[in-house]
Amino acid sequence: MNANQAAESLLASNQQKELEDLPKDYPLSTSEDEGDKDEERKHQKLLESISSLNGKDRQKLADRSEASLKVSEFSVSSEGSGEKLVLSDLLEPVKTSSSLAAVKKQLNRVKSKKTVELPLHREEIERAGTPLEQEIFNLLHKNKQPVTDPLLTPVEKASLKAMSLEEVKMRRAELQRARALQSYYEARARREKRIKSKKYHRILKKGKAKQALKDFEKLQKVNPAAALEELEKLDKARMMERMSLKHQNSGKWAKSKAIMAKYDLEARQAMQEQLARNKELTQKVAASESEEEGEGQEEEEEPLVPDLVNEVQIKANGLNPWMFRNHFIDAKEAEVQKDLEDPAEPEAQETSESEEEKAVVEEETLLKEFEERRSLRQKSELNHMAEPVHRRVTKDPSSQEVLSDLRALCQKLSTENHQSGKQELSSARTAQREEPAREEEEPMLLQRPERARTLDELEELGREGCVENEELPRTAVEGLQLEKNLSNHIGAPKEKKRKEQMIDLQNLLTTKSPSVKSLAVPTTVQELEDEEERDQRQIIKEAFAGDDVIRDFLKEKREAVEASKPKDLDLTLPGWGEWGGIGLKPSAKKRRRFLIKAPEGPPRKDKNLPNVIINEKRNTHAAAHQVQVLPHPFTHHQQFERTIQTPGSTWNTQRAFQKLTMPKVVTKPGHIIKPIKAEDVGYRSSSRSDLSVIQRNPKRLSIRHKKHLENNCVD
Amino acid sequence: METVPEPGSNVPPKKDRLQTKKKKPRRYWEQETTGTAAGASPGPPRKRKRNRELRPQKPKKNDTSKKFRMSKKPRELKSPRPQRSLSGAQDPFAGPAPVSVEVVQKYCRIDKSKELPHPKTKTRSRLVVAEAQEEETSVRAARSELLLTEEPGFLEGEDGEDTAKIRQADIVEAVDIASAAKHFDLNLRQFGPYRLNYSRTGRHLAFGGRRGHVAALDWVTKKLTCEINVMEAVRDIRFLHSEALLAVAQNRWLHIYDNQGIELHCVRRCDRVTRLEFLPFHFLLATASETGFLTYLDVSVGKIVAALNARAGRLSVMTQNPYNAVIHLGHSNGTVSLWSPAMKEPLVKILCHRGGVRAVAVDSTGMHMATSGLDHQLKVFDLRGTFQPLSARTLPQGAGHLAFSQRGLLAAGMGDVVNIWAGQGKASPPSLEQPYLTHRLSGHVHGLQFCPYEDVLGVGHSGGITSMLVPGAAEPNFDGLESNPYRSRKQRQEWEVKALLEKVPAELICLDPRALAEVDVISLEQAKKERAERLVRSGAPRAWVPLPTTSHPHCILRSTAPCLRGCCSFHLPPLPQGYDPDARTPFQPKPKQKGRSSTASLVKRKRKVMDQEHRVSGHRGRAGHPKGNALLLAPLASSTCHFSPVSPYPGQNPPEPGAAAAEAREGQAHGGPAVGPGQIRALSQAPGPRRNILSPRPPVGNYPSLE
């Protein structure tokens, strides 16, 4: 209220003054200084805009339907004047009302420098009496907006003060050099990358390998354990390389496909698929590379074994927490926990850092951008670091559930995992207690479909009353539910539906099948158990291999369904009945009108079978052998089908077949067949038998026929 | 005994009298033979009998249906006129032997429970005849079961004893010496893991080691027919239609050898073959290659029928469905695809496992498919349209090889262990709860096959070949005309010619072979529609309907007149919906010959007929009407002259083809009739309660043309 009244009074006084000053104003303004013109104009506009609040122009502005005492400050707009109304203009004391300025100048000229008393003093403004004003000032201060002087922020001012011209120049030169160097290196890297010579690359590789070997030998002398690890890495890298070769474009198959691709659609698709695969693989590598950069210095210079590192990284970040544990549980756990213990610290550091950075001079904005980007990356990395842990927390039990069918098999393993999992759970719980804020971020990270699926599965299994759910910590469950809600909330219903289908399929494939305990021969079981220990890891890999399979299959099925749907026929002719020309688009109405909707086909046979794709195409080859015309007395194909159910000698006994195929007339070879006589069929007529009146039953002869016969006889 | 109807049946006695009274038509040869010397004909009693048999009889429905009555009323089956023997004694078991209803039901192929659209009188008589014939043939088939003398073997543990604990040595001790000789081990450690194959008669065994050792032998007598080393890796080996030809998938190409070990062909169009499969009734050799192609080679003409790209990488898992000759391929992405040479795409794709598929097997009835995958699961799928898993089991190592026996036992090779599961009966899925038998081998399993017609499982492994005894695995009765284990060379040659004559075209391979005995509804409908269209266009039974000009924007004419240029069909008014040239014309009473024929009475008659029809159709439409209604219906149906067939599909449109097919399948799945027997053909024991496909022969063929 207070503030409003103050503002109103201020406005009122302004207007009054203006009204008074207006007649004088015009002549005076002509004799104005050139320098003040701009400011003058601005002020003029402000005044205009304020004055337009009441008056004729009011209609243009925000309307108020009824008069009220409350005049919102938001309705003050600069409409009509064309220029924006800045808040600082409003807050400024009305020192520079044009008339006063003229007077002031005159006075200045006449008198020594003495300021005129203004309606509101600077200090008064600064003091910020009312709560509204306080709020405004708070806002302004927070954003470091100039309250009084509109030109420079304090930071800018400070920077201006901080640096001299030479310094600025030096700094600039430095930056330029850095930029030039960077671009130079980039260009060089690009150039090198573009070198097609295999020989060059081979030599390069060899050189690197040699270097690596040397390093390795050195390491062997210094630290044999690390060397052994390195050796293992090398071996794996080689394997990975071999495996990844499959998806490049240089294979024999790929080359042949590339040739075929011009003519063959399928080949083209295959090639594209492979390219996409390749891209996908390389992309993942790149992503982890960036991570790797930020992660630590020790991994930065390993040009020979990037694949290995990347691969492991992918696994660590990716779907499979089990594998992650197997690889990294020893090495990374401590690190992770450390991260969990002081998760807020790096952020705080970063913020302080960034503040410091921001405090630097304005030329550094460019650098700052870089910096910010980097810090962002760091943040994301941090999240990444947090993610696997969290994932482990949530996914651990569920994955155990998924593996329930394998439980009996890898009991030992699961117990091990369970223990470690428990440890992690506890650690994670502490982490959650420490930092609830992180929870807010994480749903975003955890909204992938496969995750939700596992959650759903978890729920379902829980309903079934499966074991090990009690062990799930409450916090984790809550977290799960929260996430689930969030994901449900965000996910569109369509997606949800799809998910359901996937779940269905997943359930189908992971149906609980009985364990192997009842296998009869104990020796075999023992041996098998030994083997089982040997390749636990393989088992787990196999258990988790399915995700991609299901997704691919669903995709394939969707495509098949799309392909088999009847297509709509669009008969729209653009330009018919309307103006022609380039870029013509028929209206939606027209399109709707001439779109002949294809009739909905019969439902697919595999509609309710998520794990099956049934080809709906008609086998035309087989159809050529089918009966296509109904023989005479039959009116429906089912009737006819019933009469042809006893085919051939293959499906009937010999006697039955003979009987079925017995001819109507049996003749003997070597006998003369005389033409049929009327007597033969029961008529005692003359030599001229009437065949047209043959009847089986002479009693049934009609009178007419008898007459006819008699006539014949008479003849 | 055949012709004389029983008194008291529903045959009107008057007619009966007439028939007996009627003079038997004389045959032309009868006349002559009686005229000439009797020596030309064989003995008079035989002749008479023959005449009687061959006499062309027009089918009398009442007669035929009565002749073959089942054992429900065994009294009736006996001949009403007891035959007198020479001694004058009466045959205590006169007449044909009784047959059990269940067995006859097994061979019934017409599903009488299915309601047909109401037929016209003429059609109905045809249907009745067909049904009678079918019943007769099924009775005959049931009767011929008498010839199946052998019974399947079995293994039963004592109280609480697990049959899986019975070792091969125990079995060998217990059985007779001939059977004991069927258990043997070939110790061939030198040439690596072996693949093996039995010939269709089950008499011959061929095996090929990975290091090039190829041999064929008569495994019963242990007589070696040939033994060679092909000096190349052998991936798979398979007998062609007879034991005289042998296909070997070698490292590079496919080779065909004869039983002397002489190379006859080198098929270079089939390269890098990993698995072979021979379809005996189509004479097709299906090869799956590393390059991802499934190739069908017609071995009777040496032509490649189809080369299908599976687009799923290396193919190393293949099996055939013996029921419908469809090839099943297992892929590394956990799917199993079903292929026919007539289609470029797989007929069905089933996602079976989360890991890759390691082995697939289909049982002889074509109902069940067993798969094992990298996820260590063993699953049994239902192949009757739903393709859903019936049972699943996790195995410690996962099964690398699977095989079904003729009677539905499932063998799985896991490492060096072979497990065998048995079902409840024939055609029932193997229950994976408890293994039926277990056996450990000296090496890892590389090939598995049950021997046809012998209770023997052949296992090829890295240590050689093992022939295991599995009681109750095989069909005990063989069909001497189809696959005779004891046939001579001459018989084999004869059979070969016959089989070649009966060769089934490759394009007839489809998922449901019974569909070939159905009318091609789509073509039928199309033809019908075209005919209607033709009639409408030419006869112009309707007037041109002026259409609004805007409805045919593409034609230049833009008028209501018909488009003479034929550029667009928009000018032609659409055919009246549901116009059917075959439709019955409405009842039109004839004008009276005598007396006055007033319009009122005409209308009255029309109305009467219409009401009657309405009532009849109404009754028919009601499901399960009480019997009183049926009685009431009977006079109506017989008396009216204009009693008409009423379609069950009032909208003139018969059901969609897909629906019809589904219906048909449904019928088949639920105890519907299936393939009957050959003469003695491989049919032996009671089938499963649902479906009874006994013949190992897939019921494909162009039998519609036989009719």
Side-chain angles (χ1 to χ4, degrees):
Chain A
M1 273 287 102
N2 227 355
N4 273 347
Q5 278 170 2
E8 268 178 349
S9 64
L10 180 115
L11 284 175
S13 64
N14 255 347
Q15 280 161 17
Q16 275 183 357
K17 263 192 194 127
E18 200 184 275
L19 286 173
E20 285 168 15
D21 291 342
L22 261 177
K24 298 170 200 166
D25 188 22
Y26 287 111
L28 276 172
S29 63
T30 48
S31 63
E32 242 173 17
D33 267 6
E34 298 294 311
D36 283 340
K37 222 173 190 177
D38 196 39
E39 217 170 289
E40 213 60 37
R41 190 172 48 82
K42 250 183 164 178
H43 188 75
Q44 188 64 36
K45 270 176 190 157
L46 175 68
L47 288 180
E48 265 175 24
S49 65
I50 290 170
S51 68
S52 68
L53 283 175
N54 56 353
K56 282 179 209 164
D57 298 350
R58 203 175 142 185
Q59 263 79 17
K60 275 196 220 163
L61 304 170
D63 286 321
R64 267 183 291 139
S65 52
E66 35 187 306
S68 72
L69 277 176
K70 287 184 205 167
V71 181
S72 162
E73 68 266 36
F74 300 122
S75 66
V76 176
S77 72
S78 57
E79 247 177 68
S81 59
E83 201 145 307
K84 237 188 167 179
L85 188 59
V86 191
L87 189 58
S88 59
D89 287 344
L90 277 178
L91 285 169
E92 230 176 349
V94 205
K95 55 151 191 197
T96 48
S97 77
S98 55
S99 56
L100 281 177
V103 173
K104 195 175 90 183
K105 270 165 202 162
Q106 282 171 355
L107 277 169
N108 278 348
R109 269 174 217 158
V110 177
K111 291 177 186 175
S112 58
K113 291 145 196 171
K114 268 184 187 172
T115 51
V116 183
E117 276 300 310
L118 291 169
L120 266 175
H121 213 267
R122 232 172 250 258
E123 276 79 23
E124 263 185 324
I125 299 162
E126 297 273 352
R127 220 190 308 131
T130 62
L132 176 71
E133 278 173 344
Q134 271 173 358
E135 230 169 292
I136 289 166
F137 282 120
N138 264 344
L139 262 174
L140 291 175
H141 277 301
K142 227 181 227 173
N143 297 336
K144 280 167 199 141
Q145 285 294 319
V147 180
T148 47
D149 197 344
L151 267 182
L152 290 175
T153 59
V155 182
E156 286 163 348
K157 265 184 212 162
S159 69
L160 268 180
K161 274 173 202 161
M163 243 184 220
S164 66
L165 193 61
E166 285 100 70
E167 269 178 318
V168 169
K169 272 180 182 170
M170 265 173 67
R171 180 83 192 151
R172 206 165 167 183
E174 222 172 52
L175 275 172
Q176 264 174 352
R177 224 181 84 228
R179 243 175 275 146
L181 266 176
Q182 192 185 6
S183 70
Y184 167 68
Y185 276 119
E186 270 174 9
R188 188 179 160 193
R190 218 174 293 136
R191 205 170 55 239
E192 272 180 355
K193 201 178 149 195
R194 235 188 289 156
I195 291 174
K196 277 178 187 159
S197 162
K198 280 182 181 168
K199 201 172 177 185
Y200 165 79
H201 281 294
R202 213 178 298 143
I203 289 164
L204 197 75
K205 222 190 227 172
K206 261 185 195 169
K208 275 178 183 171
K210 259 182 198 168
Q211 183 62 38
L213 207 66
K214 261 184 201 167
D215 289 348
F216 178 69
E217 271 167 8
K218 249 184 224 168
L219 196 68
Q220 211 171 14
K221 276 169 196 168
V222 178
N223 189 1
L228 209 66
E229 219 168 88
E230 201 77 355
L231 194 69
E232 210 177 67
K233 274 182 185 177
L234 278 172
D235 203 32
K236 269 184 192 164
R238 190 187 59 80
M239 284 196 308
M240 295 314 297
E241 199 184 74
R242 293 285 301 163
M243 278 163 73
S244 63
L245 276 179
K246 211 164 103 186
H247 299 297
Q248 274 167 19
N249 225 357
S250 53
K252 206 186 245 174
W253 177 85
K255 273 176 186 166
S256 73
K257 282 284 171 267
I259 293 164
M260 295 279 286
K262 200 172 173 188
Y263 308 101
D264 192 358
L265 192 73
E266 283 162 7
R268 206 176 308 152
Q269 273 173 355
M271 213 174 75
Q272 275 169 355
E273 219 172 75
Q274 201 188 16
L275 279 177
R277 196 67 177 268
N278 189 21
K279 213 174 188 177
E280 197 181 271
L281 285 172
T282 48
Q283 222 170 23
K284 267 183 188 170
V285 167
S288 58
E289 232 167 23
S290 67
E291 243 173 58
E292 178 200 337
E293 271 175 22
E295 200 170 43
Q297 302 297 320
E298 88 275 18
E299 276 175 2
E300 251 176 29
E301 280 300 315
E302 275 180 353
L304 198 98
V305 284
D307 281 4
L308 155 78
V309 178
N310 293 336
E311 187 54 37
V312 173
Q313 288 275 324
I314 286 162
K315 272 182 193 156
N317 298 332
L319 308 163
N320 200 336
W322 289 62
M323 296 311 290
F324 174 85
R325 184 181 304 127
N326 279 350
H327 282 287
F328 276 76
I329 191 129
D330 309 316
K332 295 252 166 129
E333 202 167 45
E335 215 177 292
V336 168
Q337 278 192 340
K338 199 187 80 194
D339 278 338
L340 279 170
E341 273 161 27
D342 48 6
E345 267 183 30
E347 267 192 8
Q349 274 178 7
E350 263 172 33
T351 48
S352 63
E353 253 178 41
S354 59
E355 267 179 331
E356 276 167 26
E357 277 164 8
K358 272 173 194 164
V360 202
V361 259
E362 58 112 24
E363 257 93 342
E364 270 199 10
T365 42
L366 213 149
L367 261 188
K368 227 190 278 170
E369 268 182 25
F370 282 114
E371 215 86 299
E372 266 168 14
R373 233 176 273 164
R374 210 185 63 191
S375 69
L376 250 179
R377 213 182 299 148
Q378 274 170 1
K379 259 187 209 168
S380 68
E381 177 215 301
L382 242 176
N383 287 340
H384 270 294
M385 293 295 283
E387 184 189 18
V389 177
H390 192 85
R391 267 172 172 243
R392 222 185 295 160
V393 171
T394 52
K395 209 176 177 177
D396 234 1
S398 67
S399 53
Q400 272 180 5
E401 299 297 318
V402 171
L403 268 181
S404 62
D405 46 4
L406 287 175
R407 204 186 308 134
L409 212 163
C410 47
Q411 263 179 354
K412 239 183 208 173
L413 173 85
S414 61
T415 47
E416 273 173 27
N417 283 339
H418 205 70
Q419 280 163 10
S420 55
K422 265 183 189 168
Q423 284 172 10
E424 277 154 28
L425 284 177
S426 59
S427 69
R429 228 178 298 160
T430 53
Q432 277 183 344
R433 236 177 284 139
E434 275 171 21
E435 201 208 16
R438 175 149 295 171
E439 283 262 338
E440 249 74 321
E441 297 173 20
E442 255 150 21
M444 297 293 284
L445 295 168
L446 299 171
Q447 271 168 22
R448 294 200 215 153
E450 76 256 40
R451 224 199 113 57
R453 189 175 65 240
T454 54
L455 288 175
D456 284 6
E457 262 182 11
L458 180 76
E459 258 198 11
E460 261 193 29
L461 286 163
R463 240 179 282 133
E464 279 171 41
C466 258
V467 286
E468 284 164 21
N469 262 1
E470 290 89 20
E471 286 162 28
L472 208 72
R474 249 193 73 225
T475 48
V477 171
E478 279 167 11
L480 286 181
Q481 240 141 36
L482 183 113
E483 281 157 26
K484 215 193 137 199
N485 289 343
L486 267 170
S487 64
N488 276 352
H489 205 69
I490 291 160
K494 201 169 129 197
E495 205 179 297
K496 209 172 153 192
K497 202 176 162 190
R498 233 191 76 210
K499 224 189 282 165
E500 268 171 24
Q501 202 191 7
M502 264 175 92
I503 291 157
D504 207 355
L505 197 49
Q506 186 95 3
N507 283 340
L508 197 81
L509 285 178
T510 57
T511 41
K512 257 187 84 175
S513 53
S515 63
V516 255
K517 282 293 164 197
S518 60
L519 201 73
V521 182
T523 52
T524 54
V525 173
Q526 257 184 7
E527 208 219 63
L528 292 170
E529 267 176 8
D530 291 343
E531 286 205 22
E532 151 210 322
E533 263 176 64
R534 225 180 296 145
D535 47 22
Q536 317 165 318
R537 260 181 52 195
Q538 200 201 337
I539 289 162
I540 293 158
K541 231 183 214 168
E542 284 155 7
F544 279 95
D547 286 350
D548 265 335
V549 167
I550 295 167
R551 203 176 309 131
D552 289 352
F553 189 82
L554 283 178
K555 197 179 151 210
E556 202 181 329
K557 179 161 184 179
R558 223 175 306 129
E559 277 164 8
V561 169
E562 280 302 311
S564 72
K565 258 185 196 161
K567 306 274 180 300
D568 292 352
L569 183 65
D570 194 3
L571 290 175
T572 326
L573 279 183
W576 185 268
E578 58 195 9
W579 288 107
I582 300 161
L584 197 68
K585 262 193 184 166
S587 67
K589 191 182 155 200
K590 207 164 207 183
R591 248 180 292 149
R592 214 181 315 125
R593 181 161 178 194
F594 290 110
L595 186 76
I596 296 176
K597 283 236 166 129
E600 194 85 346
R604 279 182 72 88
K605 283 180 232 161
D606 55 7
K607 204 177 74 181
N608 297 322
L609 309 170
N611 66 329
V612 184
I613 305 171
I614 297 177
N615 198 344
E616 301 266 320
K617 259 190 198 159
R618 190 161 162 249
N619 185 352
T620 47
H621 293 285
H625 291 264
Q626 279 179 293
V627 178
Q628 292 177 350
V629 188
L630 276 185
H632 161 56
F634 300 104
T635 47
H636 197 270
H637 64 91
Q638 279 177 353
Q639 294 166 356
F640 177 61
E641 276 161 16
R642 191 163 275 200
T643 61
I644 55 170
Q645 294 286 319
T646 46
S649 64
T650 318
W651 291 276
N652 292 313
T653 58
Q654 184 75 17
R655 294 291 297 278
F657 174 67
Q658 278 178 350
K659 190 132 197 256
L660 285 173
T661 56
M662 191 162 57
K664 278 195 179 132
V665 178
V666 185
T667 58
K668 262 190 163 185
H671 289 280
I672 301 162
I673 301 171
K674 283 181 180 171
I676 198 164
K677 277 181 249 164
E679 308 164 348
D680 292 335
V681 281
Y683 293 114
R684 294 178 207 296
S685 69
S686 68
S687 55
R688 260 192 75 196
S689 64
D690 193 351
L691 288 176
S692 67
V693 288
I694 284 175
Q695 284 256 342
R696 295 271 146 86
N697 198 343
K699 285 239 162 161
R700 274 179 165 188
L701 271 180
S702 65
I703 301 159
R704 226 172 63 181
H705 282 146
K706 269 182 185 165
K707 267 184 190 170
H708 195 68
L709 271 177
E710 275 167 25
N711 283 341
N712 277 345
C713 286
V714 168
D715 287 343
Chain B
M1 90 185 192
E2 278 176 333
T3 48
V4 180
E6 196 191 356
S9 68
N10 48 2
V11 181
K14 193 185 169 192
K15 207 179 171 186
D16 194 39
R17 196 163 48 81
L18 268 176
Q19 266 183 348
T20 47
K21 229 180 175 182
K22 196 174 123 190
K23 192 181 144 201
K24 201 167 68 181
R26 230 167 353 119
R27 297 294 166 203
Y28 57 94
W29 63 78
E30 276 180 65
Q31 191 183 19
E32 285 198 356
T33 45
T34 46
T36 55
S41 63
R46 248 198 95 189
K47 193 195 74 190
R48 264 190 69 203
K49 201 180 168 195
R50 192 189 176 108
N51 281 346
R52 203 197 228 163
E53 260 181 25
L54 291 179
R55 186 193 309 147
Q57 283 177 321
K58 50 176 182 159
K60 292 188 188 68
K61 52 181 177 179
N62 293 327
D63 272 354
T64 42
S65 63
K66 198 162 70 278
K67 240 187 299 175
F68 296 92
R69 193 149 304 159
M70 279 143 250
S71 62
K72 253 198 271 180
K73 302 175 201 164
R75 285 288 86 197
E76 278 186 353
L77 270 177
K78 289 192 179 157
S79 165
R81 183 179 53 183
Q83 282 190 332
R84 289 193 160 271
S85 63
L86 275 178
S87 63
Q90 274 201 349
D91 185 3
F93 305 106
V99 215
S100 81
V101 185
E102 289 82 45
V103 183
V104 174
Q105 264 302 310
K106 191 169 81 178
Y107 296 112
C108 273
R109 275 174 290 234
I110 292 180
D111 183 15
K112 278 170 193 142
S113 63
K114 211 162 46 171
E115 192 73 20
L116 278 185
H118 187 70
K120 281 189 274 186
T121 340
K122 216 170 194 177
T123 322
R124 208 183 312 142
S125 67
R126 284 271 206 112
L127 286 175
V128 166
V129 168
E131 271 168 29
Q133 275 179 347
E134 197 264 346
E135 197 173 328
E136 187 187 333
T137 53
S138 56
V139 168
R140 275 182 195 279
R143 223 162 246 156
S144 70
E145 274 208 344
L146 188 74
L147 301 171
L148 309 175
T149 51
E150 301 295 324
E151 284 178 0
F154 59 90
L155 195 61
E156 232 169 49
E158 286 161 15
D159 288 341
E161 196 192 1
D162 193 0
T163 50
K165 281 180 183 159
I166 299 173
R167 289 173 300 135
Q168 282 293 304
D170 301 336
I171 297 174
V172 168
E173 258 179 40
V175 296
D176 59 318
I177 192 163
S179 304
K182 286 170 187 165
H183 171 66
F184 60 89
D185 270 308
L186 297 181
N187 205 353
L188 306 163
R189 295 222 157 262
Q190 207 179 345
F191 292 108
Y194 278 88
R195 298 276 305 166
L196 82 172
N197 182 233
Y198 288 101
S199 65
R200 282 204 70 229
T201 57
R203 182 72 184 217
H204 293 262
L205 171 69
F207 51 85
R210 184 179 290 151
R211 299 195 183 90
H213 180 210
V214 170
L217 73 160
D218 181 346
W219 70 271
V220 181
T221 60
K222 317 282 191 303
K223 212 175 100 187
L224 194 69
T225 51
C226 73
E227 185 172 25
I228 49 170
N229 197 320
V230 296
M231 307 304 285
E232 209 178 2
V234 170
R235 259 85 166 269
D236 202 0
I237 190 164
R238 202 138 293 249
F239 277 116
L240 297 190
H241 55 278
S242 72
E243 58 270 14
L245 290 171
L246 195 60
V248 180
Q250 294 179 16
N251 194 27
R252 200 70 202 282
W253 292 308
L254 173 72
H255 294 255
I256 291 174
Y257 299 89
D258 73 348
N259 54 4
Q260 313 275 296
I262 299 165
E263 185 183 317
L264 300 179
H265 303 287
C266 170
V267 187
R268 295 201 181 159
R269 284 196 59 194
C270 302
D271 63 328
R272 307 210 167 273
V273 175
T274 53
R275 285 285 177 273
L276 294 171
E277 203 63 59
F278 185 70
L279 311 175
F281 299 102
H282 306 78
F283 283 82
L284 290 178
L285 181 68
T287 63
S289 72
E290 272 181 359
T291 52
F293 275 86
L294 169 65
T295 313
Y296 287 88
L297 174 71
D298 190 334
V299 296
S300 64
V301 290
K303 225 174 73 182
I304 284 185
V305 171
L308 310 168
N309 189 359
R311 283 193 215 90
R314 188 178 190 272
L315 302 175
S316 55
V317 181
M318 174 165 76
T319 194
Q320 66 163 309
N321 187 340
Y323 169 62
N324 53 13
V326 164
I327 291 287
H328 293 227
L329 293 176
H331 303 298
S332 58
N333 58 355
T335 57
V336 169
S337 54
L338 277 56
W339 295 85
S340 140
M343 300 280 274
K344 286 281 173 201
E345 290 89 37
L347 303 171
V348 178
K349 238 179 185 191
I350 314 158
L351 181 61
C352 297
H353 292 280
R354 307 181 78 204
V357 177
R358 287 176 74 192
V360 182
V362 183
D363 78 335
S364 59
T365 60
M367 278 198 267
H368 309 298
M369 174 176 74
T371 63
S372 89
L374 276 175
D375 56 357
H376 293 193
Q377 294 247 344
L378 172 65
K379 290 184 181 179
V380 178
F381 281 83
D382 186 2
L383 284 184
R384 289 172 294 183
T386 58
F387 305 103
Q388 296 302 304
L390 296 170
S391 54
R393 182 177 191 79
T394 310
L395 301 173
Q397 262 186 310
H401 297 271
L402 293 173
F404 265 109
S405 83
Q406 280 180 323
R407 284 175 53 77
L409 269 63
L410 176 65
M414 307 165 288
D416 58 347
V417 178
V418 173
N419 264 18
I420 298 159
W421 290 278
Q424 252 59 48
K426 207 187 143 79
S428 69
S431 62
L432 303 178
E433 292 301 314
Q434 201 73 15
Y436 177 62
L437 272 182
T438 318
H439 186 59
R440 266 169 72 79
L441 305 153
S442 55
H444 278 249
V445 178
H446 196 61
L448 268 184
Q449 200 194 348
F450 279 100
C451 179
Y453 309 113
E454 293 281 0
D455 284 346
V456 160
L457 169 67
V459 186
H461 49 90
S462 49
I465 304 283
T466 301
S467 171
M468 280 174 65
L469 293 186
V470 184
E475 205 58 68
N477 298 291
F478 58 85
D479 179 358
L481 290 178
E482 193 58 41
S483 50
N484 184 357
Y486 305 107
R487 69 187 174 193
S488 63
R489 196 158 135 256
K490 210 72 195 152
Q491 277 175 322
R492 195 192 74 210
Q493 288 165 353
E494 291 282 337
W495 167 83
E496 210 167 338
V497 172
K498 267 187 196 158
L500 277 170
L501 286 174
E502 285 181 354
K503 191 181 101 168
V504 183
E507 65 259 28
L508 287 183
I509 297 176
C510 54
L511 213 55
D512 179 20
R514 303 284 312 171
L516 291 170
E518 285 163 7
V519 177
D520 185 11
V521 182
I522 295 173
S523 311
L524 191 72
E525 287 303 309
Q526 181 69 19
K528 210 171 169 187
K529 218 172 89 187
E530 277 167 8
R531 180 160 167 261
E533 212 164 310
R534 258 197 321 269
L535 287 174
V536 168
R537 289 277 142 77
S538 59
R542 66 221 158 99
W544 292 111
V545 182
L547 293 176
T549 48
T550 46
S551 68
H552 40 99
H554 299 196
C555 183
I556 299 167
L557 290 172
R558 304 202 65 187
S559 72
T560 55
C563 180
L564 297 175
R565 298 163 5 126
C567 68
C568 77
S569 61
F570 277 85
H571 296 273
L572 287 177
L575 284 172
Q577 268 300 308
Y579 169 70
D580 186 5
D582 299 332
R584 202 173 47 88
T585 48
F587 170 69
Q588 192 65 43
K590 281 179 189 164
K592 272 187 176 178
Q593 300 268 328
K594 282 178 183 171
R596 279 167 61 195
S597 157
S598 66
T599 317
S601 67
L602 274 185
V603 168
K604 215 171 168 182
R605 270 182 78 197
K606 268 190 192 172
R607 178 151 298 270
K608 206 172 157 190
V609 169
M610 220 162 72
D611 284 349
Q612 213 165 38
E613 276 176 10
H614 179 71
R615 224 177 312 152
V616 170
S617 66
H619 278 303
R620 193 163 294 119
R622 218 179 300 153
H625 52 73
K627 271 186 183 158
N629 269 0
L631 285 176
L632 191 131
L633 263 176
L636 276 181
S638 56
S639 68
T640 333
C641 50
H642 280 279
F643 181 72
S644 72
V646 179
S647 165
Y649 310 105
Q652 312 258 349
N653 295 324
E656 286 150 350
E663 236 175 277
R665 198 168 304 105
E666 190 79 8
Q668 194 187 355
H670 296 292
V675 185
Q679 293 91 5
I680 325 170
R681 215 151 277 187
L683 45 96
S684 69
Q685 289 311 297
R690 294 167 70 84
R691 199 164 73 160
N692 37 22
I693 302 140
L694 283 176
S695 163
R697 168 159 209 169
V700 279
N702 45 1
Y703 40 76
S705 62
L706 281 176
E707 287 295 313

